[in-house]
Amino acid sequence: MIPTPDLAALKPFLPDVYDPAEDTFLLLDALEGDADALRTRHAPSPSPAAAETPTPLKASTAPLVTTPFIVEIGPGSGCVLAFLAALVGCNAVYWGVDMNPKACAATRAVAAANRVRHSDVVMGDLTAAMAARLCGQVDVLVFNPPYVPTDDEELAAAAPAGAADSGPVGIAAAWAGGVAGRVVIDRLMPQVKALLSPRGAFYLVVVRENRPDELARLAREQWGLRPRMLMERKAGYEGLGVMKFEHVSDE
Amino acid sequence: MRYFSLSATRVNTERLLTHNMLQCHVKNCRPNESFPLTIKDPELERTEAEFNPDFMRGLVPKLDWTALRKTAGALGLGDLPAEMPEATDEFLQMLHALVLETRVVSGSMVCDVCHHVFPITNGIPNMLLQADEV
Ligand SMILES: [Zn+2]
């Protein structure tokens, strides 16, 4: 079992960032449950030290597997990013993209405290600034979105998309999800297929109110993705789930 | 596996690898034309990272060489050849130092087409836009 990351570095940032809770822990469990898929499909080629006979560097030798790119949208505390690094390993590049400057700083601090070797933080709205370059290159995409159904006022107060002029983005952006809690999810979903590498997978936290069945249907019919409910759990009044989306295979 | 707490660790600030991934996304801008963003008034930092040739070989196809070459030249970090050289150990070490060990602590990234300025503060690039720029 992979331990929960050390979150001591998170303390100075509370309560301005999302403190890991039941939804976070369900995501960790779902990722760990999918560890085989994450490790075998995203592990880079073995290092010469690990191989029985060290392979000399050959210019013409194409890499067996490209170095994995792992992106978490809205990392908040950085807990999931650090957990993924422990799960998949340090030979991958990790990016956390968050709108909240304090969440960016917290993610960086927690990643550093947990010895994530290659991680960077970008302050941004979803993957907007990286989408073109990350196109077809993301091997693992993770999003624990603001999924709580809220009215328009609460959503506006959470300063969503591009509202840098309404002041710093605060903690409400971590949970306020608009109608059916789907506003942010539905903004990201159409871009997922283009971001994922051929072996890529997208992990999404949902609640019952997000209508997971409808998400699955839209994934198949509109977003060109193969959906699967990976894990479900009831936490108090919340019916939580983690969905996994992959490319539709030709087989 | 055991984790230890933060005091001895250094912070992760923007690497040139990340710069190689960022584009202007202002509405109606021409991101391909303005890529890479021009780094202005940079405070650069070099931090040592463990060299792993396989990791670097796997990273090469994911980089935009032309953009990296332009940025390295502009920052005075060396003249890279127009064509990416063969993946010799020496080349991979150079690339490792350039994209993984070179960090921008502060400064800004400017779009040469629409002139939008994306600030880098405490090593974190701010790619957020105003509502009317999206
Ligand atoms: Zn621009």
Side-chain angles (χ1 to χ4, degrees):
Chain A
M1 186 178 156
I2 308 281
T4 303
D6 180 351
L7 296 174
L10 187 59
K11 291 222 171 67
F13 300 99
L14 298 175
D16 297 319
V17 303
Y18 189 75
D19 199 10
E22 286 304 324
D23 51 338
T24 318
F25 300 129
L26 177 68
L27 179 55
L28 300 191
D29 290 344
L31 290 169
E32 186 162 22
D34 212 35
D36 285 348
L38 283 163
R39 287 201 189 107
T40 54
R41 295 171 63 196
H42 307 303
S45 49
S47 72
E52 284 186 21
T53 46
T55 338
L57 285 172
K58 270 189 236 136
S60 58
T61 310
L64 292 174
V65 182
T66 52
T67 296
F69 279 4
I70 297 178
V71 178
E72 185 180 7
I73 300 170
S77 63
C79 175
V80 176
L81 202 69
F83 185 83
L84 267 170
L87 195 65
V88 180
C90 273
N91 289 325
V93 182
Y94 295 84
W95 278 288
V97 188
D98 208 297
M99 301 170 73
N100 176 350
K102 286 185 175 152
C104 289
T107 296
R108 190 171 66 177
V110 167
N114 288 278
R115 303 270 197 271
V116 184
R117 201 180 292 157
H118 304 299
S119 73
D120 262 2
V121 175
V122 173
M123 191 154 104
D125 175 33
L126 302 183
T127 58
M130 305 174 87
R133 283 284 292 119
L134 285 179
C135 186
Q137 305 224 62
V138 179
D139 299 296
V140 182
L141 182 67
V142 179
F143 190 23
N144 182 357
Y147 56 62
V148 179
T150 52
D151 58 34
D152 290 347
E153 251 171 57
E154 282 175 304
L155 186 66
D165 46 356
S166 61
V169 178
I171 180 73
W175 54 265
V179 177
R182 281 268 294 275
V183 169
V184 187
I185 296 174
D186 287 352
R187 218 153 50 79
L188 176 70
M189 285 309 300
Q191 308 168 31
V192 170
K193 186 182 167 65
L195 288 168
L196 293 183
S197 73
R199 58 188 167 140
F202 171 44
Y203 298 86
L204 174 75
V205 177
V206 294
V207 286
R208 199 191 306 109
E209 289 77 6
N210 300 152
R211 304 176 197 135
D213 290 345
E214 187 184 277
L215 280 172
R217 183 178 58 78
L218 287 168
R220 276 188 292 264
E221 292 174 3
Q222 288 187 21
W223 301 323
L225 294 163
R226 185 159 53 95
R228 184 151 68 95
M229 182 59 82
L230 211 55
M231 199 175 268
E232 286 179 281
R233 185 178 295 165
K234 217 163 150 33
Y237 62 90
E238 276 189 336
L240 292 163
V242 175
M243 297 180 77
K244 181 182 182 181
F245 300 88
E246 295 168 281
H247 285 292
V248 180
S249 58
D250 301 326
E251 300 148 58
Chain B
M1 196 177 301
R2 182 87 191 88
Y3 291 119
F4 300 93
S5 210
L6 83 164
S7 51
T9 60
R10 58 171 178 266
V11 292
N12 298 325
T13 56
E14 190 194 85
R15 299 156 201 266
L16 286 193
L17 170 61
T18 298
H19 174 263
N20 198 255
M21 295 291 150
L22 297 174
Q23 288 194 341
C24 181
H25 56 113
V26 170
K27 190 164 85 181
N28 299 329
C29 186
R30 299 183 298 279
N32 292 335
E33 242 172 87
S34 66
F35 181 71
L37 296 168
T38 301
I39 300 178
K40 291 267 165 70
D41 308 316
E43 182 193 339
L44 295 179
E45 185 184 77
R46 171 69 53 88
T47 52
E48 263 186 48
E50 192 184 312
F51 174 63
N52 177 341
D54 283 325
F55 179 95
M56 288 311 298
R57 249 198 311 260
L59 189 59
V60 163
K62 291 187 153 186
L63 295 171
D64 186 306
W65 178 257
T66 308
L68 184 65
R69 176 172 179 259
K70 192 175 167 193
T71 301
L75 294 175
L77 296 170
D79 291 321
L80 305 182
E83 291 291 316
M84 192 191 286
E86 293 186 342
T88 59
D89 208 10
E90 190 191 358
F91 166 68
L92 292 176
Q93 296 239 26
M94 183 283 294
L95 199 60
H96 165 87
L98 190 62
V99 301
L100 294 182
E101 296 188 328
T102 310
R103 297 161 181 276
V104 186
V105 181
S106 67
S108 60
M109 295 177 292
V110 180
C111 171
D112 291 337
V113 173
C114 75
H115 309 294
H116 187 90
V117 178
F118 299 94
I120 304 170
T121 314
N122 295 321
I124 298 176
N126 180 354
M127 306 307 291
L128 288 173
L129 298 176
Q130 312 287 322
D132 60 356
E133 295 168 326
V134 181

